[in-house]
Coordinates of all heavy atoms in Angstrom, one line a residue:
M22 N 41.5 5.7 5.5 CA 40.3 5.7 6.4 C 40.0 7.0 7.0 O 40.9 7.7 7.6 CB 40.6 4.7 7.6 CG 39.5 4.6 8.6 SD 39.8 3.4 9.9 CE 38.4 3.6 10.9
A23 N 38.8 7.5 6.9 CA 38.4 8.8 7.4 C 37.9 8.6 8.9 O 37.1 7.6 9.1 CB 37.3 9.4 6.6
Y24 N 38.3 9.4 9.8 CA 37.9 9.3 11.1 C 36.8 10.4 11.4 O 37.0 11.5 10.9 CB 39.1 9.5 12.1 CG 40.1 8.4 12.0 CD1 41.2 8.5 11.1 CD2 40.0 7.3 12.8 CE1 42.1 7.5 11.0 CE2 41.0 6.3 12.7 CZ 42.0 6.4 11.8 OH 42.9 5.4 11.8
S25 N 35.9 10.1 12.3 CA 34.9 11.1 12.8 C 35.7 12.1 13.7 O 36.8 11.7 14.3 CB 33.7 10.5 13.5 OG 34.1 10.0 14.7
E26 N 35.1 13.2 14.0 CA 35.7 14.1 15.0 C 35.8 13.5 16.4 O 36.8 13.7 17.1 CB 34.9 15.4 15.1 CG 35.1 16.3 13.9 CD 34.7 17.8 14.2 OE1 34.4 18.1 15.3 OE2 34.7 18.5 13.2
Q27 N 34.8 12.6 16.8 CA 34.9 11.9 18.0 C 36.0 10.9 18.1 O 36.7 10.7 19.0 CB 33.6 11.2 18.4 CG 32.6 12.1 19.0 CD 33.0 12.7 20.3 OE1 33.3 13.9 20.3 NE2 33.2 12.0 21.4
E28 N 36.2 10.2 16.9 CA 37.3 9.3 16.9 C 38.7 10.0 16.9 O 39.6 9.5 17.5 CB 37.2 8.4 15.6 CG 36.1 7.5 15.6 CD 35.8 6.8 14.2 OE1 36.0 7.5 13.2 OE2 35.3 5.7 14.3
I29 N 38.8 11.1 16.2 CA 40.0 11.9 16.3 C 40.3 12.4 17.7 O 41.4 12.3 18.2 CB 39.9 13.1 15.3 CG1 39.8 12.6 13.9 CG2 41.1 14.0 15.5 CD1 39.5 13.7 12.9
L30 N 39.2 12.9 18.4 CA 39.4 13.3 19.8 C 39.9 12.2 20.6 O 40.8 12.3 21.5 CB 38.1 13.9 20.3 CG 38.1 14.4 21.8 CD1 39.2 15.4 22.0 CD2 36.8 14.9 22.2
A31 N 39.3 11.0 20.5 CA 39.6 9.9 21.3 C 41.0 9.4 21.1 O 41.8 9.1 22.0 CB 38.7 8.7 21.1
G32 N 41.4 9.4 19.8 CA 42.8 9.0 19.4 C 43.8 10.0 19.9 O 44.9 9.6 20.4
L33 N 43.5 11.3 19.8 CA 44.4 12.3 20.2 C 44.5 12.3 21.8 O 45.6 12.4 22.3 CB 43.9 13.7 19.8 CG 44.8 14.8 19.8 CD1 46.1 14.6 18.9 CD2 44.1 16.1 19.2
A34 N 43.5 12.0 22.5 CA 43.5 11.9 23.9 C 44.4 10.7 24.3 O 45.2 10.8 25.3 CB 42.1 11.7 24.5
E35 N 44.4 9.6 23.6 CA 45.3 8.5 23.9 C 46.7 8.8 23.7 O 47.6 8.5 24.5 CB 44.9 7.3 23.0 CG 43.6 6.6 23.4 CD 43.3 5.5 22.4 OE1 44.1 5.0 21.7 OE2 42.1 5.0 22.5
I36 N 47.0 9.6 22.6 CA 48.4 10.0 22.3 C 48.8 10.9 23.4 O 50.0 10.8 23.9 CB 48.4 10.7 20.9 CG1 48.2 9.7 19.8 CG2 49.8 11.4 20.7 CD1 48.0 10.2 18.4
V37 N 48.0 11.9 23.8 CA 48.4 12.9 24.8 C 48.6 12.2 26.1 O 49.6 12.4 26.8 CB 47.4 14.0 24.9 CG1 47.6 14.9 26.1 CG2 47.4 14.9 23.7
S38 N 47.8 11.3 26.4 CA 47.9 10.5 27.7 C 49.2 9.7 27.7 O 49.9 9.7 28.7 CB 46.7 9.6 27.8 OG 46.8 8.8 29.0
E39 N 49.5 9.0 26.6 CA 50.7 8.3 26.5 C 52.0 9.1 26.7 O 53.0 8.8 27.3 CB 50.8 7.5 25.2 CG 49.8 6.3 25.2 CD 49.8 5.7 23.8 OE1 50.6 6.0 22.9 OE2 48.8 4.9 23.6
E40 N 51.9 10.3 26.1 CA 53.1 11.2 26.1 C 53.2 11.9 27.5 O 54.3 12.2 27.9 CB 53.0 12.3 25.0 CG 54.1 13.2 24.9 CD 55.4 12.6 24.6 OE1 55.5 11.5 24.1 OE2 56.5 13.3 24.9
T41 N 52.1 12.3 28.1 CA 52.2 13.1 29.3 C 51.8 12.4 30.6 O 52.1 12.9 31.7 CB 51.2 14.4 29.1 OG1 49.9 13.8 29.1 CG2 51.5 15.1 27.9
G42 N 51.1 11.3 30.5 CA 50.6 10.6 31.7 C 49.3 11.2 32.2 O 48.7 10.7 33.1
L43 N 48.7 12.2 31.5 CA 47.4 12.7 31.9 C 46.3 11.7 31.5 O 46.4 11.0 30.5 CB 47.2 14.0 31.1 CG 48.0 15.2 31.4 CD1 47.8 16.3 30.4 CD2 47.7 15.7 32.8
P44 N 45.3 11.7 32.3 CA 44.2 10.8 32.0 C 43.5 11.2 30.7 O 43.4 12.4 30.4 CB 43.2 10.9 33.2 CG 43.6 12.1 33.9 CD 45.0 12.4 33.5
T45 N 43.0 10.3 29.9 CA 42.4 10.6 28.6 C 41.2 11.5 28.8 O 40.9 12.4 27.9 CB 42.0 9.4 27.8 OG1 41.1 8.6 28.6 CG2 43.2 8.6 27.4
D46 N 40.5 11.4 29.9 CA 39.2 12.2 30.0 C 39.5 13.7 30.4 O 38.6 14.5 30.4 CB 38.3 11.6 31.0 CG 38.9 11.5 32.4 OD1 40.0 11.8 32.6 OD2 38.1 11.0 33.3
S47 N 40.8 14.0 30.6 CA 41.2 15.4 30.8 C 41.6 16.1 29.5 O 41.7 17.3 29.5 CB 42.4 15.5 31.8 OG 43.6 15.0 31.2
V48 N 41.6 15.3 28.4 CA 42.0 15.9 27.1 C 40.6 16.2 26.4 O 40.1 15.4 25.7 CB 42.8 14.9 26.3 CG1 43.3 15.6 24.9 CG2 44.0 14.5 27.1
L49 N 40.2 17.5 26.6 CA 38.9 17.9 26.1 C 39.1 19.0 25.0 O 40.2 19.7 25.0 CB 38.1 18.5 27.2 CG 37.8 17.5 28.4 CD1 37.1 18.2 29.5 CD2 36.9 16.4 27.9
P50 N 38.2 19.2 24.1 CA 38.4 20.1 23.0 C 38.8 21.5 23.4 O 39.5 22.2 22.8 CB 37.0 20.1 22.3 CG 36.4 18.8 22.6 CD 36.9 18.4 24.0
E51 N 38.2 22.0 24.5 CA 38.5 23.4 24.9 C 39.8 23.6 25.6 O 40.2 24.6 26.0 CB 37.3 23.9 25.8 CG 37.2 23.2 27.1 CD 36.3 21.9 27.1 OE1 36.0 21.4 26.0 OE2 36.0 21.4 28.2
K52 N 40.5 22.5 25.9 CA 41.8 22.5 26.7 C 42.9 23.0 25.8 O 43.1 22.5 24.7 CB 42.1 21.2 27.3 CG 41.1 20.6 28.2 CD 41.2 21.3 29.6 CE 40.3 20.7 30.6 NZ 40.5 21.2 31.9
S53 N 43.7 24.0 26.4 CA 44.9 24.5 25.7 C 46.0 23.5 26.0 O 46.2 23.0 27.1 CB 45.2 25.8 26.3 OG 46.6 26.1 26.0
F54 N 46.8 23.2 24.9 CA 47.9 22.3 25.1 C 48.9 22.8 26.1 O 49.4 22.1 26.9 CB 48.6 22.1 23.7 CG 47.8 21.2 22.8 CD1 47.2 21.7 21.7 CD2 47.7 19.8 23.1 CE1 46.5 20.8 20.8 CE2 47.1 18.9 22.2 CZ 46.4 19.5 21.1
T55 N 49.2 24.1 26.0 CA 50.2 24.7 26.9 C 49.7 25.1 28.3 O 50.2 24.7 29.3 CB 50.9 25.9 26.2 OG1 49.9 26.8 25.9 CG2 51.7 25.5 25.0
D56 N 48.5 25.8 28.3 CA 48.0 26.4 29.5 C 47.3 25.4 30.4 O 47.5 25.4 31.7 CB 47.1 27.6 29.3 CG 47.8 28.7 28.6 OD1 49.1 28.8 28.8 OD2 47.2 29.5 27.9
D57 N 46.5 24.5 29.8 CA 45.7 23.6 30.6 C 46.4 22.2 30.7 O 46.3 21.6 31.8 CB 44.3 23.3 29.9 CG 43.5 24.7 29.9 OD1 43.5 25.4 30.9 OD2 42.9 24.9 28.9
L58 N 47.1 21.7 29.7 CA 47.6 20.4 29.7 C 49.1 20.4 30.0 O 49.8 19.4 30.2 CB 47.3 19.7 28.4 CG 45.8 19.5 28.0 CD1 45.7 18.9 26.7 CD2 45.1 18.7 29.1
D59 N 49.7 21.6 30.0 CA 51.1 21.8 30.4 C 52.1 21.0 29.5 O 53.0 20.4 29.9 CB 51.4 21.5 31.9 CG 52.6 22.1 32.4 OD1 53.1 23.1 31.9 OD2 53.2 21.5 33.3
I60 N 51.8 21.1 28.2 CA 52.6 20.3 27.2 C 53.6 21.3 26.6 O 53.3 22.3 26.1 CB 51.7 19.8 26.1 CG1 50.8 18.7 26.7 CG2 52.5 19.2 25.0 CD1 49.7 18.2 25.8
D61 N 54.9 20.9 26.8 CA 56.0 21.8 26.2 C 56.2 21.5 24.7 O 55.5 20.6 24.1 CB 57.3 21.6 27.0 CG 57.8 20.2 26.9 OD1 57.5 19.4 25.9 OD2 58.6 19.8 27.8
S62 N 57.0 22.3 24.1 CA 57.2 22.2 22.7 C 57.7 20.9 22.2 O 57.3 20.4 21.1 CB 58.1 23.4 22.2 OG 59.3 23.3 22.8
L63 N 58.7 20.3 22.9 CA 59.2 19.0 22.6 C 58.1 17.9 22.6 O 58.0 17.1 21.7 CB 60.3 18.6 23.5 CG 61.0 17.3 23.2 CD1 61.6 17.3 21.7 CD2 62.1 17.0 24.2
S64 N 57.3 17.9 23.7 CA 56.2 16.9 23.8 C 55.2 17.2 22.7 O 54.6 16.2 22.1 CB 55.6 17.0 25.1 OG 56.4 16.5 26.1
M65 N 55.0 18.4 22.4 CA 54.0 18.8 21.3 C 54.4 18.2 20.0 O 53.6 17.7 19.2 CB 53.8 20.3 21.2 CG 52.7 20.7 20.3 SD 51.1 20.2 20.9 CE 50.0 20.8 19.6
M66 N 55.7 18.3 19.7 CA 56.2 17.8 18.4 C 56.1 16.3 18.4 O 55.7 15.7 17.3 CB 57.7 18.2 18.2 CG 57.8 19.7 18.0 SD 56.7 20.4 16.7 CE 57.2 19.6 15.2
T67 N 56.3 15.6 19.5 CA 56.1 14.2 19.5 C 54.6 13.8 19.3 O 54.3 12.9 18.6 CB 56.5 13.6 20.9 OG1 57.9 13.9 21.1 CG2 56.3 12.1 21.0
I68 N 53.7 14.6 20.0 CA 52.3 14.3 19.8 C 51.9 14.6 18.4 O 51.1 13.8 17.8 CB 51.5 15.3 20.8 CG1 51.7 14.9 22.2 CG2 50.0 15.4 20.4 CD1 51.3 15.8 23.3
V69 N 52.4 15.6 17.7 CA 52.1 15.9 16.3 C 52.6 14.7 15.4 O 51.8 14.3 14.5 CB 52.7 17.2 15.9 CG1 52.7 17.4 14.3 CG2 52.0 18.4 16.5
T70 N 53.8 14.2 15.7 CA 54.3 13.1 14.9 C 53.4 11.9 15.0 O 53.1 11.2 14.0 CB 55.7 12.8 15.3 OG1 56.5 14.0 15.1 CG2 56.3 11.7 14.5
L71 N 53.0 11.6 16.3 CA 52.2 10.4 16.5 C 50.8 10.6 15.9 O 50.3 9.6 15.4 CB 52.1 10.1 18.0 CG 53.4 9.7 18.7 CD1 53.3 9.7 20.2 CD2 53.9 8.3 18.2
A72 N 50.3 11.8 16.0 CA 49.0 12.1 15.4 C 49.0 11.9 13.9 O 48.1 11.4 13.2 CB 48.5 13.5 15.8
E73 N 50.1 12.4 13.2 CA 50.3 12.3 11.8 C 50.3 10.7 11.4 O 49.7 10.4 10.4 CB 51.6 12.9 11.3 CG 51.6 14.4 11.3 CD 52.9 15.0 10.9 OE1 54.0 14.4 11.3 OE2 52.9 16.1 10.3
E74 N 51.0 10.0 12.2 CA 51.1 8.5 11.9 C 49.7 7.9 12.1 O 49.2 7.1 11.3 CB 52.1 7.9 12.8 CG 53.5 8.2 12.4 CD 54.5 7.8 13.4 OE1 54.1 7.0 14.4 OE2 55.7 8.1 13.3
K75 N 49.0 8.2 13.2 CA 47.8 7.6 13.5 C 46.7 7.9 12.5 O 45.9 7.0 12.1 CB 47.3 7.9 14.9 CG 46.0 7.3 15.4 CD 45.7 7.5 16.8 CE 44.5 6.7 17.2 NZ 44.7 5.3 17.4
F76 N 46.6 9.2 12.1 CA 45.5 9.6 11.3 C 45.9 9.8 9.8 O 45.1 10.2 9.0 CB 44.9 10.9 11.8 CG 44.4 10.8 13.2 CD1 45.0 11.4 14.3 CD2 43.3 10.0 13.5 CE1 44.5 11.2 15.6 CE2 42.8 9.8 14.7 CZ 43.4 10.5 15.8
D77 N 47.1 9.4 9.5 CA 47.6 9.5 8.1 C 47.4 10.8 7.5 O 46.9 11.0 6.4 CB 47.0 8.4 7.3 CG 47.7 8.2 5.9 OD1 48.9 8.5 5.9 OD2 47.1 7.7 5.0
V78 N 47.8 11.9 8.2 CA 47.8 13.2 7.7 C 49.1 13.9 7.9 O 50.0 13.4 8.6 CB 46.7 14.1 8.5 CG1 45.3 13.5 8.3 CG2 47.0 14.2 10.0
R79 N 49.3 15.0 7.2 CA 50.5 15.8 7.4 C 50.1 17.1 8.1 O 49.2 17.8 7.7 CB 51.1 16.1 6.0 CG 52.3 17.0 6.0 CD 53.6 16.3 6.2 NE 54.7 17.3 6.1 CZ 55.3 17.8 7.1 NH1 55.0 17.5 8.3 NH2 56.3 18.7 6.9
I80 N 50.9 17.4 9.2 CA 50.6 18.7 9.9 C 51.9 19.5 9.7 O 52.9 19.2 10.4 CB 50.3 18.4 11.4 CG1 49.1 17.5 11.5 CG2 50.1 19.8 12.1 CD1 48.8 17.0 13.0
P81 N 51.9 20.5 8.9 CA 53.2 21.2 8.6 C 53.6 22.0 9.9 O 52.8 22.4 10.7 CB 52.7 22.3 7.5 CG 51.5 21.7 6.9 CD 50.8 20.9 8.0
D82 N 54.9 22.1 10.0 CA 55.5 22.8 11.2 C 54.9 24.2 11.4 O 54.7 24.5 12.6 CB 57.0 22.9 11.1 CG 57.7 21.6 11.1 OD1 57.1 20.6 11.6 OD2 58.9 21.5 10.8
D83 N 54.6 24.9 10.3 CA 54.1 26.3 10.5 C 52.6 26.2 10.9 O 52.1 27.2 11.3 CB 54.3 27.1 9.3 CG 53.7 26.5 8.0 OD1 53.3 25.4 8.0 OD2 53.5 27.3 7.1
E84 N 52.0 25.1 10.9 CA 50.6 25.0 11.3 C 50.5 24.6 12.8 O 49.5 24.8 13.5 CB 49.8 23.9 10.5 CG 49.5 24.3 9.1 CD 48.4 25.4 9.1 OE1 47.6 25.5 10.0 OE2 48.4 26.2 8.2
V85 N 51.6 24.0 13.3 CA 51.5 23.5 14.7 C 51.3 24.7 15.7 O 50.5 24.6 16.7 CB 52.9 22.8 15.1 CG1 52.9 22.4 16.6 CG2 53.0 21.5 14.2
K86 N 51.9 25.9 15.4 CA 51.7 27.0 16.3 C 50.2 27.5 16.3 O 49.8 28.1 17.3 CB 52.6 28.2 15.9 CG 52.2 28.8 14.5 CD 53.2 29.9 14.2 CE 52.8 30.6 12.9 NZ 53.5 29.9 11.8
N87 N 49.4 27.1 15.3 CA 48.0 27.5 15.3 C 47.1 26.5 16.0 O 45.9 26.7 16.2 CB 47.5 27.6 13.8 CG 48.3 28.7 13.1 OD1 48.6 29.7 13.6 ND2 48.5 28.4 11.8
L88 N 47.7 25.4 16.5 CA 46.9 24.4 17.2 C 47.0 24.7 18.7 O 47.7 23.9 19.4 CB 47.5 23.0 16.9 CG 47.6 22.7 15.4 CD1 48.1 21.3 15.2 CD2 46.2 22.8 14.7
A89 N 46.4 25.7 19.2 CA 46.4 26.1 20.6 C 45.6 25.1 21.5 O 46.0 24.9 22.6 CB 45.9 27.5 20.7
T90 N 44.5 24.7 21.0 CA 43.6 23.8 21.8 C 43.5 22.4 21.2 O 43.8 22.2 20.0 CB 42.2 24.4 21.9 OG1 41.6 24.4 20.7 CG2 42.3 25.8 22.5
V91 N 43.1 21.5 22.0 CA 42.8 20.1 21.4 C 41.8 20.3 20.3 O 41.9 19.5 19.3 CB 42.3 19.3 22.6 CG1 41.8 17.9 22.1 CG2 43.4 19.1 23.7
G92 N 40.7 21.1 20.5 CA 39.7 21.2 19.4 C 40.4 21.8 18.2 O 39.9 21.3 17.1
D93 N 41.3 22.7 18.2 CA 42.0 23.2 17.0 C 42.7 22.0 16.3 O 42.6 21.9 15.1 CB 43.1 24.2 17.4 CG 42.6 25.5 17.9 OD1 41.4 25.8 17.7 OD2 43.4 26.2 18.6
A94 N 43.3 21.1 17.0 CA 44.0 19.9 16.5 C 43.0 19.0 15.8 O 43.2 18.5 14.7 CB 44.8 19.2 17.5
V95 N 41.9 18.8 16.5 CA 40.8 17.9 16.0 C 40.3 18.4 14.6 O 40.2 17.7 13.7 CB 39.7 17.7 17.0 CG1 38.5 17.0 16.3 CG2 40.2 16.9 18.2
S96 N 40.0 19.7 14.6 CA 39.5 20.4 13.4 C 40.5 20.3 12.3 O 40.2 20.0 11.1 CB 39.2 21.9 13.7 OG 38.1 21.9 14.6
F97 N 41.8 20.5 12.6 CA 42.9 20.5 11.6 C 42.9 19.1 11.0 O 43.0 18.9 9.8 CB 44.2 20.9 12.1 CG 45.2 21.0 11.0 CD1 45.4 22.1 10.2 CD2 46.0 19.8 10.7 CE1 46.3 22.1 9.2 CE2 46.9 19.8 9.7 CZ 47.1 21.0 8.9
I98 N 43.0 18.1 11.9 CA 43.2 16.7 11.4 C 41.9 16.3 10.6 O 42.0 15.7 9.5 CB 43.4 15.7 12.6 CG1 44.7 16.0 13.2 CG2 43.2 14.3 12.2 CD1 44.9 15.4 14.6
N99 N 40.7 16.7 11.0 CA 39.5 16.4 10.3 C 39.5 17.0 8.9 O 39.2 16.3 7.9 CB 38.3 16.9 11.1 CG 37.0 16.4 10.5 OD1 37.0 15.2 10.1 ND2 36.0 17.2 10.6
G100 N 40.0 18.3 8.8 CA 40.1 18.9 7.5 C 41.2 18.3 6.6 O 41.0 18.2 5.4
A101 N 42.3 17.9 7.3 CA 43.4 17.4 6.5 C 43.1 16.1 5.9 O 43.6 15.7 4.8 CB 44.7 17.3 7.4
Q102 N 42.3 15.3 6.6 CA 42.1 13.9 6.1 C 41.0 14.0 5.0 O 40.9 13.1 4.1 CB 41.6 13.0 7.2 CG 40.2 13.3 7.7 CD 39.8 12.3 8.8 OE1 40.4 11.3 9.0 NE2 38.6 12.6 9.4
A103 N 40.2 15.1 4.9 CA 39.2 15.3 3.9 C 39.9 15.8 2.6 O 39.3 15.8 1.5 CB 38.1 16.2 4.3
A104 N 41.1 16.4 2.8 CA 41.7 17.1 1.6 C 42.3 16.0 0.6 O 42.6 14.9 0.9 CB 42.9 18.0 2.1

């Protein structure tokens, strides 16, 4: 199943909210995982794993460092599901 960017953002916001306790409406495309959402590397790996399961994509470990913002993650997942 292919998800739209809005569906990916909403799903990612739910995952981040469950992992961090942040409200889903604070998980916006321009937000940095580390600087704005205060997500550490361990939580980021959990979020990546849950996102892989939810969207049925593979996010290689060496790509995770390139996912600085929520928008970066949405774009990567959107591109990965199209591949």
Side-chain angles (χ1 to χ4, degrees):
M22 174 179 180
Y24 295 90
S25 70
E26 286 196 8
Q27 274 305 107
E28 291 170 328
I29 295 169
L30 177 60
L33 199 54
E35 288 177 14
I36 291 169
V37 169
S38 179
E39 289 172 12
E40 180 64 19
T41 65
L43 292 168
T45 56
D46 61 358
S47 69
V48 183
L49 301 171
E51 66 274 12
K52 297 288 185 172
S53 163
F54 285 108
T55 55
D56 296 336
D57 297 320
L58 302 177
D59 200 28
I60 295 174
D61 63 22
S62 58
L63 181 60
S64 292
M65 187 65 182
M66 293 311 297
T67 301
I68 290 166
V69 165
T70 300
L71 293 171
E73 287 177 325
E74 292 171 2
K75 182 171 185 72
F76 300 110
D77 194 27
V78 296
R79 172 88 176 100
I80 305 172
D82 291 344
D83 60 340
E84 285 292 333
V85 174
K86 65 178 182 272
N87 298 325
L88 305 179
T90 67
V91 173
D93 293 339
V95 170
S96 293
F97 183 87
I98 292 167
N99 191 37
Q102 69 178 357

